[in-house]
Coordinates of all heavy atoms in Angstrom, one line a residue:
M1 N 93.3 109.3 62.1 CA 92.3 109.8 63.1 C 91.1 108.9 63.2 O 90.6 108.4 62.1 CB 91.9 111.2 62.7 CG 91.0 111.9 63.7 SD 91.8 112.1 65.3 CE 90.4 112.4 66.3
A2 N 90.7 108.6 64.4 CA 89.5 107.7 64.5 C 88.2 108.4 64.1 O 88.1 109.6 64.2 CB 89.4 107.3 66.0
N3 N 87.3 107.6 63.5 CA 86.0 108.1 63.1 C 84.9 107.7 64.0 O 83.9 108.4 64.2 CB 85.7 107.6 61.7 CG 86.6 108.2 60.7 OD1 86.9 109.4 60.7 ND2 87.0 107.4 59.7
I4 N 85.1 106.6 64.7 CA 84.0 106.1 65.6 C 84.1 106.7 66.9 O 85.2 107.0 67.5 CB 84.2 104.5 65.7 CG1 84.0 103.9 64.3 CG2 83.2 104.0 66.7 CD1 84.4 102.5 64.3
K5 N 83.0 107.0 67.5 CA 82.9 107.8 68.7 C 83.6 107.1 69.9 O 84.4 107.8 70.6 CB 81.4 108.0 69.1 CG 81.2 108.9 70.3 CD 79.8 109.2 70.5 CE 79.6 110.1 71.7 NZ 78.2 110.4 72.0
S6 N 83.5 105.8 70.0 CA 84.1 105.1 71.1 C 85.7 105.1 70.9 O 86.4 105.1 71.9 CB 83.6 103.6 71.2 OG 83.9 102.9 70.0
A7 N 86.1 105.0 69.7 CA 87.6 105.1 69.4 C 88.1 106.5 69.8 O 89.2 106.6 70.3 CB 87.8 104.8 68.0
K8 N 87.4 107.5 69.5 CA 87.8 108.9 69.9 C 87.9 109.0 71.4 O 88.8 109.6 71.9 CB 86.8 109.9 69.3 CG 86.8 110.1 67.8 CD 85.8 111.1 67.4 CE 85.8 111.2 65.9 NZ 84.8 112.1 65.4
K9 N 86.9 108.4 72.1 CA 87.0 108.4 73.6 C 88.2 107.6 74.1 O 88.8 108.1 75.0 CB 85.7 107.8 74.1 CG 85.7 107.8 75.7 CD 84.4 107.2 76.3 CE 84.6 107.2 77.8 NZ 83.4 106.6 78.4
R10 N 88.5 106.5 73.5 CA 89.6 105.7 73.9 C 90.9 106.5 73.8 O 91.8 106.5 74.6 CB 89.8 104.4 73.1 CG 88.7 103.4 73.4 CD 88.5 103.0 74.8 NE 89.7 102.6 75.5 CZ 89.9 102.7 76.8 NH1 89.0 103.1 77.6 NH2 91.1 102.3 77.4
I11 N 91.0 107.3 72.7 CA 92.2 108.1 72.5 C 92.3 109.2 73.6 O 93.4 109.4 74.1 CB 92.1 108.8 71.1 CG1 92.3 107.8 70.0 CG2 93.2 109.9 71.0 CD1 92.1 108.3 68.6
R12 N 91.2 109.8 74.0 CA 91.2 110.8 75.0 C 91.6 110.1 76.4 O 92.4 110.7 77.1 CB 89.8 111.5 75.2 CG 89.5 112.4 74.1 CD 88.3 113.3 74.5 NE 87.2 112.6 75.0 CZ 86.2 112.1 74.3 NH1 86.2 112.2 73.0 NH2 85.2 111.5 74.8
V13 N 91.0 109.0 76.7 CA 91.3 108.3 77.9 C 92.8 107.9 78.0 O 93.4 108.0 79.0 CB 90.4 107.1 78.1 CG1 90.8 106.2 79.2 CG2 88.9 107.5 78.3
I14 N 93.3 107.3 76.9 CA 94.7 106.9 76.9 C 95.6 108.1 77.1 O 96.6 108.0 77.8 CB 95.0 106.2 75.6 CG1 94.3 104.8 75.5 CG2 96.5 106.0 75.3 CD1 94.3 104.1 74.2
E15 N 95.3 109.2 76.5 CA 96.1 110.4 76.7 C 96.1 110.9 78.1 O 97.2 111.2 78.7 CB 95.6 111.5 75.8 CG 96.5 112.7 75.7 CD 96.0 113.8 74.7 OE1 95.2 113.4 73.8 OE2 96.4 114.9 74.8
K16 N 95.0 110.8 78.8 CA 94.9 111.2 80.2 C 95.8 110.3 81.0 O 96.5 110.7 81.9 CB 93.5 111.2 80.7 CG 92.6 112.3 80.3 CD 91.2 112.1 80.9 CE 90.2 113.2 80.4 NZ 88.9 113.0 80.9
K17 N 95.6 109.0 80.8 CA 96.4 108.0 81.6 C 97.9 108.2 81.3 O 98.7 108.1 82.3 CB 96.0 106.6 81.2 CG 94.7 106.2 81.8 CD 94.3 104.7 81.5 CE 93.0 104.3 82.1 NZ 92.7 102.9 81.9
A18 N 98.3 108.4 80.1 CA 99.7 108.6 79.8 C 100.3 109.9 80.5 O 101.4 109.8 81.0 CB 99.9 108.8 78.3
N19 N 99.5 110.9 80.5 CA 99.9 112.1 81.2 C 100.0 111.9 82.7 O 101.0 112.4 83.3 CB 98.9 113.3 80.9 CG 99.0 113.8 79.5 OD1 100.1 113.7 78.9 ND2 98.0 114.4 79.0
R20 N 99.1 111.1 83.3 CA 99.2 110.8 84.7 C 100.4 110.0 85.0 O 101.1 110.3 86.0 CB 97.9 110.1 85.1 CG 97.9 109.8 86.7 CD 96.8 108.9 87.1 NE 97.0 107.6 86.5 CZ 96.1 106.6 86.5 NH1 94.9 106.8 87.0 NH2 96.4 105.4 86.1
N21 N 100.7 109.0 84.2 CA 101.8 108.2 84.4 C 103.1 109.0 84.3 O 104.1 108.7 85.0 CB 101.9 107.0 83.4 CG 100.8 106.0 83.7 OD1 100.3 105.9 84.8 ND2 100.5 105.1 82.7
K22 N 103.2 109.9 83.3 CA 104.4 110.7 83.2 C 104.6 111.6 84.4 O 105.7 111.7 84.9 CB 104.2 111.7 82.0 CG 104.6 111.1 80.6 CD 104.5 112.2 79.6 CE 104.3 111.6 78.2 NZ 104.1 112.6 77.2
R23 N 103.5 112.1 84.9 CA 103.6 113.0 86.1 C 104.1 112.1 87.3 O 105.0 112.6 88.1 CB 102.2 113.6 86.4 CG 102.3 114.6 87.5 CD 100.9 115.2 87.7 NE 99.9 114.3 88.3 CZ 98.9 113.8 87.6 NH1 98.5 114.3 86.5 NH2 98.0 113.0 88.2
I24 N 103.5 111.0 87.5 CA 103.9 110.1 88.6 C 105.4 109.7 88.5 O 106.1 109.7 89.5 CB 103.0 108.9 88.7 CG1 101.6 109.3 89.1 CG2 103.5 107.8 89.6 CD1 100.5 108.2 89.0
K25 N 105.8 109.3 87.3 CA 107.2 108.8 87.1 C 108.2 110.0 87.3 O 109.2 109.7 87.9 CB 107.4 108.2 85.7 CG 106.8 106.8 85.6 CD 107.0 106.2 84.3 CE 106.5 104.8 84.2 NZ 106.8 104.2 82.9
S26 N 107.8 111.2 86.9 CA 108.8 112.3 87.1 C 108.9 112.6 88.5 O 110.0 113.0 89.0 CB 108.4 113.5 86.2 OG 107.2 114.1 86.7
H27 N 107.8 112.5 89.3 CA 107.8 112.8 90.7 C 108.6 111.7 91.4 O 109.4 112.1 92.4 CB 106.4 112.9 91.3 CG 106.3 113.3 92.7 ND1 106.7 114.5 93.1 CD2 106.0 112.6 93.8 CE1 106.6 114.6 94.4 NE2 106.1 113.4 94.9
L28 N 108.5 110.5 91.0 CA 109.3 109.4 91.6 C 110.8 109.7 91.4 O 111.6 109.5 92.3 CB 109.0 108.1 90.9 CG 107.8 107.3 91.5 CD1 107.5 106.1 90.6 CD2 108.0 106.9 92.9
K29 N 111.1 110.1 90.2 CA 112.6 110.4 89.9 C 113.1 111.5 90.8 O 114.2 111.5 91.3 CB 112.7 110.8 88.5 CG 112.6 109.7 87.5 CD 112.8 110.2 86.1 CE 112.4 109.0 85.1 NZ 112.4 109.5 83.7
E30 N 112.3 112.5 91.1 CA 112.6 113.6 92.0 C 112.9 113.1 93.4 O 113.9 113.5 94.1 CB 111.6 114.7 92.0 CG 111.4 115.5 90.8 CD 110.3 116.5 90.8 OE1 109.7 116.7 91.9 OE2 109.9 117.0 89.7
V31 N 112.0 112.3 93.9 CA 112.1 111.7 95.2 C 113.3 110.8 95.4 O 114.1 110.9 96.3 CB 110.8 110.9 95.6 CG1 111.0 110.2 96.9 CG2 109.6 111.9 95.7
L32 N 113.6 110.0 94.3 CA 114.7 109.1 94.4 C 116.0 109.9 94.3 O 117.0 109.6 95.0 CB 114.7 108.1 93.2 CG 113.5 107.1 93.3 CD1 113.5 106.2 92.1 CD2 113.6 106.3 94.6
K33 N 116.1 111.0 93.5 CA 117.3 111.9 93.5 C 117.5 112.5 94.8 O 118.7 112.7 95.2 CB 117.1 112.9 92.4 CG 117.3 112.4 91.0 CD 117.2 113.4 89.9 CE 117.3 112.8 88.5 NZ 117.1 113.9 87.5
A34 N 116.4 113.0 95.5 CA 116.6 113.6 96.8 C 117.2 112.6 97.8 O 118.0 112.9 98.6 CB 115.2 114.1 97.3
F35 N 116.7 111.3 97.7 CA 117.3 110.3 98.6 C 118.8 110.1 98.3 O 119.6 110.0 99.2 CB 116.5 109.0 98.4 CG 117.1 107.8 99.1 CD1 116.9 107.7 100.5 CD2 117.8 106.8 98.4 CE1 117.4 106.6 101.2 CE2 118.4 105.8 99.1 CZ 118.2 105.6 100.5
D36 N 119.1 110.0 97.0 CA 120.5 109.8 96.6 C 121.4 110.9 97.1 O 122.5 110.7 97.6 CB 120.6 109.7 95.1 CG 120.1 108.4 94.5 OD1 119.9 107.4 95.3 OD2 119.8 108.4 93.3
L37 N 120.9 112.1 97.0 CA 121.6 113.3 97.4 C 121.9 113.3 99.0 O 123.0 113.5 99.4 CB 120.9 114.6 97.1 CG 121.6 115.9 97.4 CD1 122.9 116.0 96.5 CD2 120.7 117.1 97.1
A38 N 120.8 112.9 99.7 CA 121.0 112.8 101.2 C 122.0 111.7 101.6 O 122.8 111.9 102.5 CB 119.6 112.5 101.8
I39 N 122.0 110.6 100.9 CA 122.9 109.5 101.1 C 124.4 110.0 100.9 O 125.3 109.8 101.6 CB 122.6 108.3 100.3 CG1 121.3 107.6 100.8 CG2 123.7 107.3 100.4 CD1 121.4 106.9 102.2
E40 N 124.5 110.7 99.7 CA 125.9 111.2 99.3 C 126.4 112.2 100.3 O 127.6 112.2 100.6 CB 125.8 111.8 97.9 CG 125.7 110.8 96.8 CD 125.6 111.4 95.5 OE1 125.9 112.6 95.3 OE2 125.2 110.7 94.5
E41 N 125.5 113.0 100.9 CA 126.0 114.0 101.8 C 126.1 113.4 103.2 O 126.7 114.1 104.1 CB 124.9 115.2 101.9 CG 124.9 116.0 100.6 CD 123.8 117.1 100.7 OE1 123.0 117.1 101.6 OE2 123.8 117.9 99.7
G42 N 125.6 112.2 103.4 CA 125.8 111.6 104.7 C 124.8 112.1 105.7 O 124.9 111.9 106.9
D43 N 123.7 112.7 105.3 CA 122.6 113.2 106.2 C 121.6 112.1 106.4 O 120.7 112.0 105.6 CB 122.0 114.5 105.5 CG 121.0 115.1 106.4 OD1 120.8 114.7 107.6 OD2 120.4 116.1 106.0
M44 N 121.8 111.3 107.4 CA 120.9 110.2 107.6 C 119.5 110.5 108.1 O 118.6 109.8 107.8 CB 121.6 109.2 108.7 CG 122.8 108.5 108.2 SD 122.5 107.6 106.8 CE 123.8 108.0 105.7
E45 N 119.4 111.7 108.7 CA 118.0 112.1 109.1 C 117.2 112.4 107.9 O 116.1 111.9 107.8 CB 118.2 113.4 110.0 CG 116.9 113.9 110.6 CD 116.4 113.1 111.8 OE1 117.3 112.4 112.4 OE2 115.2 113.1 112.1
T46 N 117.7 113.2 107.0 CA 117.0 113.5 105.7 C 116.8 112.3 104.9 O 115.8 112.1 104.3 CB 117.8 114.6 104.9 OG1 118.0 115.7 105.8 CG2 117.0 115.0 103.7
A47 N 117.9 111.4 104.9 CA 117.8 110.2 104.1 C 116.7 109.3 104.5 O 116.0 108.7 103.7 CB 119.1 109.4 104.1
K48 N 116.5 109.2 105.8 CA 115.4 108.4 106.4 C 114.0 108.9 106.0 O 113.1 108.2 105.6 CB 115.5 108.3 107.9 CG 114.4 107.5 108.6 CD 114.4 106.1 108.2 CE 113.4 105.3 108.9 NZ 113.0 104.0 108.3
E49 N 113.9 110.2 106.0 CA 112.6 110.9 105.6 C 112.4 110.6 104.1 O 111.3 110.3 103.7 CB 112.7 112.4 105.9 CG 112.7 112.8 107.3 CD 112.9 114.2 107.6 OE1 112.9 115.0 106.6 OE2 113.1 114.6 108.7
Q50 N 113.4 110.8 103.3 CA 113.3 110.6 101.9 C 113.0 109.1 101.6 O 112.3 108.8 100.6 CB 114.6 111.0 101.2 CG 114.8 112.5 101.2 CD 113.6 113.3 100.5 OE1 113.0 112.9 99.6 NE2 113.3 114.4 101.1
L51 N 113.6 108.2 102.4 CA 113.3 106.8 102.2 C 111.9 106.5 102.4 O 111.2 105.7 101.6 CB 114.2 105.9 103.1 CG 114.0 104.4 103.0 CD1 114.3 103.8 101.7 CD2 114.9 103.7 104.1
D52 N 111.3 107.0 103.5 CA 109.9 106.8 103.8 C 109.0 107.3 102.7 O 108.0 106.7 102.3 CB 109.6 107.4 105.2 CG 110.2 106.7 106.3 OD1 110.7 105.6 106.2 OD2 110.4 107.4 107.4
L53 N 109.4 108.5 102.2 CA 108.6 109.2 101.2 C 108.7 108.4 99.9 O 107.7 108.2 99.2 CB 109.1 110.6 100.9 CG 108.3 111.4 99.9 CD1 106.9 111.6 100.2 CD2 109.0 112.8 99.7
A54 N 109.9 107.9 99.6 CA 110.1 107.1 98.3 C 109.3 105.8 98.4 O 108.7 105.4 97.4 CB 111.6 106.8 98.2
E55 N 109.3 105.2 99.6 CA 108.5 103.9 99.7 C 107.0 104.2 99.5 O 106.3 103.5 98.8 CB 108.7 103.3 101.1 CG 108.0 102.0 101.3 CD 108.3 101.3 102.6 OE1 109.1 101.8 103.4 OE2 107.7 100.3 102.8
K56 N 106.5 105.3 100.1 CA 105.1 105.6 99.9 C 104.8 105.9 98.5 O 103.8 105.4 98.0 CB 104.8 106.9 100.8 CG 103.4 107.4 100.7 CD 103.2 108.6 101.5 CE 101.8 109.2 101.3 NZ 101.6 110.5 102.0
K57 N 105.6 106.7 97.8 CA 105.3 107.1 96.4 C 105.4 105.9 95.5 O 104.6 105.7 94.5 CB 106.2 108.2 96.0 CG 106.0 109.5 96.7 CD 104.6 110.0 96.4 CE 104.3 111.3 97.2 NZ 103.0 111.8 97.0
L58 N 106.4 105.0 95.7 CA 106.5 103.8 94.9 C 105.3 102.9 95.0 O 104.8 102.4 94.0 CB 107.8 103.1 95.2 CG 109.1 103.6 94.7 CD1 110.3 103.1 95.4 CD2 109.2 103.4 93.2
M59 N 104.9 102.7 96.2 CA 103.7 101.9 96.4 C 102.4 102.5 95.9 O 101.6 101.8 95.3 CB 103.5 101.5 97.9 CG 104.6 100.6 98.5 SD 104.7 99.1 97.5 CE 106.3 98.6 98.0
Q60 N 102.3 103.8 95.9 CA 101.2 104.5 95.3 C 101.2 104.3 93.8 O 100.2 104.0 93.2 CB 101.2 106.0 95.7 CG 100.7 106.3 97.1 CD 100.8 107.8 97.4 OE1 101.4 108.5 96.7 NE2 100.1 108.2 98.4
A61 N 102.4 104.4 93.2 CA 102.5 104.2 91.8 C 102.2 102.8 91.4 O 101.5 102.6 90.4 CB 103.9 104.6 91.3
A62 N 102.6 101.9 92.2 CA 102.3 100.5 91.9 C 100.8 100.2 92.0 O 100.2 99.5 91.2 CB 103.0 99.5 92.9
S63 N 100.1 100.8 93.0 CA 98.7 100.6 93.2 C 97.9 101.2 92.0 O 96.8 100.7 91.7 CB 98.2 101.2 94.5 OG 98.2 102.6 94.5
K64 N 98.4 102.2 91.4 CA 97.7 102.8 90.3 C 98.1 102.2 88.9 O 97.5 102.5 87.9 CB 98.1 104.3 90.2 CG 97.7 105.2 91.3 CD 96.1 105.2 91.4 CE 95.7 106.1 92.6 NZ 94.3 106.0 92.9
G65 N 99.0 101.2 89.0 CA 99.4 100.5 87.8 C 100.4 101.2 86.9 O 100.7 100.8 85.8
T66 N 101.0 102.3 87.5 CA 102.1 103.0 86.7 C 103.3 102.2 86.6 O 104.0 102.1 85.6 CB 102.4 104.4 87.4 OG1 101.2 105.1 87.5 CG2 103.4 105.1 86.6
I67 N 103.7 101.5 87.7 CA 104.8 100.6 87.7 C 104.3 99.3 88.3 O 103.2 99.3 89.0 CB 106.0 101.1 88.4 CG1 105.7 101.3 89.9 CG2 106.6 102.3 87.8 CD1 106.9 101.7 90.7
H68 N 105.0 98.2 88.0 CA 104.6 96.9 88.5 C 104.8 96.8 90.0 O 105.7 97.4 90.6 CB 105.3 95.8 87.8 CG 104.7 94.4 88.0 ND1 105.0 93.6 89.0 CD2 103.9 93.7 87.2 CE1 104.3 92.5 88.9 NE2 103.6 92.5 87.8
K69 N 103.9 96.0 90.7 CA 104.1 95.9 92.2 C 105.4 95.3 92.6 O 106.0 95.8 93.6 CB 103.0 94.9 92.7 CG 101.6 95.6 92.8 CD 100.7 94.6 93.4 CE 99.3 95.1 93.5 NZ 98.3 94.1 94.1
K70 N 105.9 94.3 91.9 CA 107.2 93.7 92.2 C 108.3 94.6 91.9 O 109.3 94.6 92.6 CB 107.3 92.4 91.6 CG 106.4 91.3 92.1 CD 106.6 89.9 91.6 CE 105.6 89.0 92.2 NZ 105.9 87.6 91.8
A71 N 108.2 95.5 90.9 CA 109.3 96.4 90.6 C 109.3 97.5 91.7 O 110.4 97.8 92.1 CB 109.0 97.1 89.3
A72 N 108.2 97.9 92.2 CA 108.2 98.8 93.3 C 108.8 98.2 94.6 O 109.6 98.9 95.3 CB 106.7 99.3 93.6
S73 N 108.4 97.0 94.9 CA 109.0 96.3 96.0 C 110.5 96.1 95.9 O 111.2 96.3 96.9 CB 108.3 94.9 96.2 OG 107.0 95.1 96.6
R74 N 111.0 95.8 94.7 CA 112.4 95.6 94.5 C 113.1 96.9 94.7 O 114.2 97.0 95.3 CB 112.6 95.1 93.1 CG 114.0 94.8 92.7 CD 114.2 94.2 91.3 NE 113.7 95.1 90.3 CZ 112.7 94.9 89.5 NH1 112.0 93.8 89.6 NH2 112.3 95.8 88.6
K75 N 112.6 98.0 94.2 CA 113.2 99.3 94.4 C 113.3 99.7 95.8 O 114.3 100.3 96.3 CB 112.5 100.4 93.6 CG 112.7 100.3 92.1 CD 111.9 101.3 91.3 CE 111.9 101.1 89.8 NZ 112.9 101.8 89.1
V76 N 112.2 99.5 96.6 CA 112.2 99.8 98.0 C 113.2 99.0 98.7 O 113.9 99.5 99.6 CB 110.7 99.5 98.6 CG1 110.8 99.6 100.1 CG2 109.8 100.6 98.1
S77 N 113.3 97.7 98.4 CA 114.3 96.9 99.0 C 115.7 97.4 98.8 O 116.5 97.4 99.7 CB 114.1 95.4 98.5 OG 115.1 94.6 99.0
R78 N 116.0 97.7 97.5 CA 117.3 98.2 97.2 C 117.6 99.6 97.9 O 118.8 99.8 98.4 CB 117.5 98.4 95.7 CG 117.5 97.0 95.0 CD 117.6 97.1 93.5 NE 117.6 95.8 92.9 CZ 117.5 95.6 91.6 NH1 117.4 96.6 90.8 NH2 117.6 94.4 91.1
L79 N 116.7 100.4 98.0 CA 116.9 101.7 98.7 C 117.1 101.5 100.2 O 118.0 102.1 100.8 CB 115.6 102.6 98.5 CG 115.4 103.2 97.1 CD1 114.0 103.9 97.1 CD2 116.5 104.1 96.7
T80 N 116.4 100.6 100.8 CA 116.5 100.3 102.2 C 117.9 99.7 102.4 O 118.6 100.0 103.4 CB 115.4 99.3 102.7 OG1 114.2 99.9 102.3 CG2 115.5 99.1 104.1
K81 N 118.3 98.8 101.6 CA 119.6 98.2 101.7 C 120.7 99.3 101.6 O 121.7 99.2 102.4 CB 119.8 97.2 100.6 CG 121.1 96.4 100.6 CD 121.1 95.3 99.5 CE 122.4 94.6 99.5 NZ 122.5 93.6 98.4
R82 N 120.6 100.2 100.7 CA 121.6 101.3 100.6 C 121.6 102.1 101.8 O 122.7 102.6 102.3 CB 121.3 102.2 99.3 CG 121.8 101.6 98.1 CD 121.7 102.5 96.9 NE 122.3 103.8 97.2 CZ 121.9 104.9 96.7 NH1 120.9 105.0 95.8 NH2 122.6 106.1 96.9
F83 N 120.4 102.4 102.3 CA 120.3 103.2 103.5 C 121.0 102.6 104.7 O 121.8 103.2 105.5 CB 118.8 103.5 103.9 CG 118.6 104.3 105.1 CD1 118.9 105.7 105.2 CD2 118.2 103.7 106.3 CE1 118.7 106.3 106.4 CE2 118.0 104.4 107.4 CZ 118.3 105.7 107.5
N84 N 120.7 101.3 104.9 CA 121.3 100.5 106.0 C 122.8 100.4 105.9 O 123.5 100.5 106.9 CB 120.7 99.1 106.1 CG 119.3 99.2 106.5 OD1 118.8 100.1 107.2 ND2 118.5 98.1 106.2
Q85 N 123.3 100.2 104.7 CA 124.8 100.2 104.5 C 125.4 101.6 104.8 O 126.5 101.6 105.4 CB 125.1 99.8 103.0 CG 124.9 98.3 102.8 CD 125.2 98.0 101.3 OE1 125.3 98.8 100.5 NE2 125.3 96.7 101.1
A86 N 124.8 102.6 104.3 CA 125.3 104.0 104.6 C 125.2 104.3 106.1 O 126.1 105.0 106.6 CB 124.5 105.0 103.8
Q87 N 124.2 103.8 106.8 CA 124.1 104.1 108.2 C 125.1 103.3 109.0 O 125.6 103.9 110.0 CB 122.7 103.7 108.6 CG 122.2 104.4 109.9 CD 120.7 104.0 110.1 OE1 120.2 103.0 109.7 NE2 120.0 104.9 110.8
S88 N 125.5 102.2 108.6 CA 126.5 101.4 109.3 C 127.9 101.9 109.2 O 128.7 101.5 110.0 CB 126.4 99.9 108.9 OG 126.8 99.7 107.6
E89 N 128.1 102.7 108.1 CA 129.5 103.2 107.9 C 129.9 104.3 108.8 O 129.1 104.9 109.4 CB 129.6 103.6 106.4 CG 129.6 102.4 105.5 CD 129.7 102.9 104.0 OE1 129.7 104.1 103.7 OE2 129.6 102.0 103.2

């Protein structure tokens, strides 16, 4: 346990950030699962909405530093590619 006041504060701040990151990542997983489900069912209308939502949430997570910007862009690119392939079938 920290004894110095600033060290105690850092522990509190890190805990808050870790909780925020967990919340954001779990929400991202929910959104991505909803997209996957829509693609599997062949519901392109819902899939398009979920793709837009996923892109928005990924970029928000990247802007907050929860995930890396390039990782978010890569995931968006892969999701869009899957959507386009499913749409063409």
Side-chain angles (χ1 to χ4, degrees):
M1 184 64 201
N3 291 322
I4 298 170
K5 188 176 182 181
S6 61
K8 290 178 183 178
K9 180 180 177 183
R10 291 307 309 157
I11 290 170
R12 286 195 313 269
V13 169
I14 289 167
E15 190 174 336
K16 282 182 189 176
K17 286 183 177 184
N19 288 335
R20 183 187 70 190
N21 288 342
K22 276 185 205 173
R23 187 178 68 244
I24 291 170
K25 284 184 179 183
S26 69
H27 186 66
L28 274 175
K29 286 177 189 173
E30 289 174 15
V31 170
L32 295 176
K33 283 180 185 179
F35 174 77
D36 290 340
L37 184 64
I39 289 289
E40 286 177 17
E41 291 176 353
D43 185 4
M44 290 301 132
E45 186 76 23
T46 306
K48 178 63 178 160
E49 292 172 8
Q50 291 301 323
L51 176 62
D52 292 341
L53 181 63
E55 182 176 357
K56 178 182 175 185
K57 293 298 178 183
L58 282 164
M59 290 305 160
Q60 283 178 344
S63 72
K64 296 295 181 188
T66 302
I67 60 174
H68 196 273
K69 282 183 183 180
K70 290 187 179 183
S73 294
R74 183 176 62 244
K75 287 175 191 268
V76 169
S77 176
R78 289 176 181 173
L79 291 173
T80 305
K81 186 177 177 183
R82 279 187 55 209
F83 176 76
N84 290 337
Q85 284 177 345
Q87 202 172 24
S88 66
E89 290 177 359

